[in-house]
Amino acid sequence: MSRPKYVFVTGGVVSSLGKGIASSSIANLLECRGLRVTLQKLDPYLNVDPGTMSPFQHGEVFVTDDGAETDLDLGHYERFTHAVLTRAHNATSGSIYERILARERRGDYLGKTVQVIPHVTDAIREQIAKVSTEDIDVVLTEIGGTVGDIESLPFMEALRQVRQQVGRDGCVFVHVTLVPYIAAAGELKTKPTQHSVKELRALGIQPDILVCRTETGFSREIREKIASFCDVDREAVIAARDVDTVYQVPVEFAEQGVDDIVLDRLRLTAGPRSLGPWQDMLDRLRNPRDKVRIGVVGKYVDYEDSYKSLKEALLHGGLAQSLDVEIGWQEAESITRETCAGQLERYDGILVPGGFGIRGIDGMIEAVRYARVNDVPYFGICLGMQMMVIEFLRNVCGIREAHSAEFDPKSPHRAFLKLRELKGVEDLGGTMRVGAWPCRLTPGSFARSAYGREEISERHRHRYEFNRPEYEQVLTGHGMRITGETPEVDYVEICELPSHPWFLGCQFHPEFKSKPLDPQPLFREFVRASHQRRLRQGKALADIEADQFLRLFGARLQGAPG
Ligand code: GLN
């Protein structure tokens, strides 16, 4: 039985250095050489999972097919590779302790003292073993936080133990650090990196590769200095300079041979690197034929990480047709019927993304109305789909009090209800519908033509469902169409307005499955429709200008002396 090899990624100096992107880029390169990879994130914080953490503090909650609510780094992992991630690919101190404490309560430890070493470290190693399946050549495990954090100590110790167990050619340690430029001195400083490596070595870990974040790159001297003080080979000191797009990072790493170093240390042989499709994608990204402006009307717009996957999926949707997608983040709370046109008219398409809680709801409904009456392509995701249906029920079907039970539990017209309140639906236990569900598409719909097939699977994360028994008839009677539903329990998954150029809402989160090399179909088609509107508008503008010109010019001609 072959056992996978390991790449362990830690971080030093400060947070936010892009460990997730570094891990994803190494994994990407190993895949480009024909290896089968997977990635895992171990977070030292005590929350059991990021599901209940504020998007403002922690960014987006990424959802896997099997319904795990995970750290947003797993989104990078999936976008950069073909790895299929599950619940086992993200763990926190909280989830590890939860498991240990449950065992302790059951009496599984037979009266022994339960301790950080060996029990917590063993549980961390079990977590790594869970994803070390036979179909994988290399497992990349990233440790959240920064070396020196008290809460990450058990994780570092567990990695050290794994190295002891698998041997030196069984794993490589990659440490991501910062080489700051101090303007006053006009110098790049290597000391923070040295200190960080010293910290790591105090824990018994000698890094093999240093990924040094730097604004502009560094000289051979700096590289040599870092190599010598940190006891790392010169070619293993990688300059990770700031780049225009995260998708450039694998290319930067390839130029410095990061994959060769990893393969060499792990004594792995692999095929030549084939970066062709990736490079081609980058070329398209940098040479768009036109642009398109999308207004995202949401509630966490001040903190773009809350919409990480969404932002990427829009970009991919543009990439698919060489269009540059310019996103305008529009705070939903600031939108009113009166101000709406002024705030939204510059956009070619409008998107209302997912969200929880009542803040900004009225603004979203106004944005939907604006898009509907002005023929602006509209894409509603999860909460955005619910708002699209509510707007229609209120303003087209005349049910003024229509609402979701989430926002007005006493409304006489609750068009969205919690699962267990829906008649004839058995309570699924948990309060959320999360993870992948199959969905069947109606022929002749926007969705069906986007996906080009009848059955799809997309990921969910929500509590409320369309109250089909009570509101389907009135909705469809006024022209909205239900074009996607789950095959067995017939939950409503997609609604559309066929009389509109492109107006679609989906109860699931399609952004979680979009990749730069495999753009998600709904995003692609929404961007396409928005671009078509842009062209129509452009043409319309040109027509108006031509009209004015003729009028002016004609008047002159008429007035001209004979
Ligand atoms: N708050 C809504 C629900 O729970 C929508 C959730 C979401 O957009 N992810 O159903």
Side-chain angles (χ1 to χ4, degrees):
M1 189 182 91
S2 73
R3 208 169 41 186
K5 305 251 179 174
Y6 295 98
V7 175
F8 295 130
V9 182
T10 57
V13 186
V14 290
S15 57
S16 307
L17 287 180
K19 277 194 311 263
I21 299 290
S23 309
S24 307
S25 299
I26 298 174
N28 173 298
L29 290 180
L30 296 177
E31 258 197 359
C32 284
R33 306 200 55 160
L35 294 171
R36 299 160 307 169
V37 301
T38 195
L39 296 112
Q40 178 182 44
K41 174 97 189 265
L42 302 180
D43 276 311
Y45 53 72
L46 283 170
N47 307 62
V48 172
D49 65 40
T52 52
M53 291 167 95
S54 161
F56 281 118
Q57 241 198 38
H58 202 70
E60 152 190 293
V61 174
F62 186 78
V63 179
T64 57
D65 268 343
D66 69 340
E69 299 176 83
T70 72
D71 185 84
L72 55 74
D73 272 324
L74 273 80
H76 298 308
Y77 301 169
E78 286 201 348
R79 287 189 284 274
F80 277 68
T81 69
H82 294 91
V84 179
L85 306 177
T86 66
R87 194 168 292 286
H89 293 82
N90 188 198
T92 65
S93 289
S95 70
I96 303 247
Y97 274 89
E98 189 182 46
R99 204 158 69 221
I100 292 175
L101 294 176
R103 283 182 197 160
E104 191 272 337
R105 292 291 83 187
R106 273 201 312 265
D108 290 3
Y109 294 106
L110 305 172
K112 283 200 208 103
T113 312
V114 184
Q115 294 179 296
V116 173
I117 299 175
H119 301 103
V120 174
T121 46
D122 280 356
I124 295 170
R125 286 166 56 183
E126 269 171 34
Q127 195 70 34
I128 298 174
K130 272 190 200 165
V131 302
S132 309
T133 46
E134 254 181 84
D135 54 337
I136 298 294
D137 299 313
V138 182
V139 175
L140 291 96
T141 297
E142 175 191 346
I143 309 296
T146 308
V147 59
D149 294 347
I150 290 176
E151 56 199 13
S152 68
L153 289 175
F155 292 88
M156 299 299 179
E157 171 58 15
L159 298 190
R160 193 195 63 76
Q161 293 176 7
V162 175
R163 192 209 50 211
Q164 196 58 23
Q165 177 197 348
V166 300
R168 279 174 209 270
D169 58 7
C171 65
V172 316
F173 281 90
V174 177
H175 191 53
V176 183
T177 76
L178 177 69
V179 177
Y181 177 73
I182 305 297
E187 275 178 28
L188 285 168
K189 292 294 182 189
T190 64
K191 195 73 90 188
T193 299
Q194 294 179 42
H195 277 297
S196 172
V197 170
K198 190 169 149 205
E199 194 93 39
L200 202 56
R201 290 163 88 175
L203 302 174
I205 294 172
Q206 167 63 43
D208 301 284
I209 298 176
L210 292 178
V211 171
C212 306
R213 286 301 308 275
T214 143
E215 258 172 66
T216 52
F218 44 66
S219 64
R220 214 180 56 188
E221 286 73 35
I222 296 279
R223 191 181 298 263
E224 267 163 16
K225 189 169 167 190
I226 296 172
S228 111
F229 287 143
C230 299
D231 208 8
V232 169
D233 291 347
R234 187 160 24 101
E235 79 273 8
V237 177
I238 308 302
R241 59 184 182 107
D242 294 350
V243 281
D244 58 340
T245 158
V246 292
Y247 300 124
Q248 171 67 16
V249 179
V251 177
E252 299 279 311
F253 281 12
E255 280 165 8
Q256 298 177 72
V258 177
D259 46 340
D260 292 322
I261 304 170
V262 170
L263 294 173
D264 179 59
R265 297 290 191 283
L266 295 178
R267 308 245 180 286
L268 279 175
T269 45
R273 194 191 289 139
S274 102
L275 262 177
W278 195 265
Q279 193 67 61
D280 170 60
M281 176 272 292
L282 279 168
D283 288 346
R284 268 181 292 129
L285 186 69
R286 295 206 174 100
N287 301 299
R289 63 186 164 97
D290 199 358
K291 75 166 170 197
V292 49
R293 288 209 184 100
I294 303 296
V296 175
V297 180
K299 52 199 305 179
Y300 318 112
V301 291
D302 286 337
Y303 186 47
E304 285 179 30
D305 263 3
S306 340
Y307 297 121
K308 188 82 203 146
S309 296
L310 179 88
K311 191 174 149 195
E312 295 304 310
L314 277 169
L315 186 117
H316 306 157
L319 252 177
Q321 43 214 320
S322 287
L323 291 172
D324 174 26
V325 178
E326 197 180 290
I327 303 176
W329 301 99
Q330 203 68 48
E331 176 57 65
E333 221 178 356
S334 74
I335 294 181
T336 63
R337 171 90 40 115
E338 292 69 40
T339 60
C340 194
Q343 286 162 297
L344 301 179
E345 71 192 346
R346 64 178 178 279
Y347 299 121
D348 308 311
I350 290 173
L351 189 153
V352 175
F356 294 84
I358 194 161
R359 193 177 60 79
I361 290 300
D362 293 337
M364 293 178 194
I365 294 176
E366 283 312 320
V368 178
R369 196 188 83 95
Y370 171 84
R372 182 175 55 77
V373 300
N374 291 294
D375 278 351
V376 181
Y378 174 81
F379 191 8
I381 294 178
C382 207
L383 180 63
M385 176 266 206
Q386 300 177 354
M387 293 307 102
M388 164 183 145
V389 170
I390 302 282
E391 191 279 330
F392 196 78
L393 287 172
R394 289 184 184 182
N395 298 331
V396 179
C397 311
I399 307 175
R400 301 296 312 164
E401 287 165 298
H403 221 326
S404 163
E406 178 177 6
F407 311 120
D408 185 2
K410 297 209 171 68
S411 160
H413 292 289
R414 300 184 309 158
F416 286 86
L417 289 175
K418 270 194 193 162
L419 275 181
R420 62 184 153 73
E421 292 175 279
L422 275 174
K423 288 192 198 89
V425 171
E426 86 188 89
D427 189 356
L428 292 182
T431 56
M432 283 239 211
R433 180 146 78 102
V434 9
W437 281 68
C439 167
R440 191 161 295 147
L441 306 175
T442 311
S445 58
F446 294 132
R448 176 67 200 264
S449 86
Y451 283 95
R453 55 177 195 275
E454 197 192 330
E455 191 158 320
I456 57 159
S457 165
E458 293 285 1
R459 299 177 190 172
H460 290 249
R461 182 171 180 258
H462 60 105
R463 283 195 184 85
Y464 295 82
E465 303 287 345
F466 179 54
N467 182 354
R468 195 165 190 176
E470 292 184 62
Y471 294 97
E472 174 170 1
Q473 237 172 15
V474 61
L475 196 76
T476 52
H478 284 81
M480 194 170 273
R481 229 179 142 195
I482 292 170
T483 60
E485 54 188 347
T486 53
E488 266 144 46
V489 264
D490 73 8
Y491 294 140
V492 172
E493 298 284 61
I494 307 179
C495 288
E496 299 180 6
L497 211 50
S499 56
H500 192 282
W502 208 87
F503 199 86
L504 180 150
C506 54
Q507 191 57 83
F508 48 78
H509 287 271
E511 68 271 29
F512 292 138
K513 285 181 68 170
S514 189
K515 300 179 189 231
L517 294 187
D518 189 11
Q520 206 284 340
L522 295 178
F523 279 91
R524 189 193 63 220
E525 289 313 303
F526 168 60
V527 170
R528 191 195 308 279
S530 304
H531 184 243
Q532 274 161 5
R533 173 177 158 88
R534 182 180 180 80
L535 294 179
R536 279 199 307 274
Q537 290 287 101
K539 232 168 93 208
L541 270 180
D543 285 351
I544 293 169
E545 275 163 21
D547 245 27
Q548 282 174 343
F549 177 79
L550 265 179
R551 234 178 296 136
L552 251 162
F553 194 63
R556 284 246 185 91
L557 274 184
Q558 276 171 16

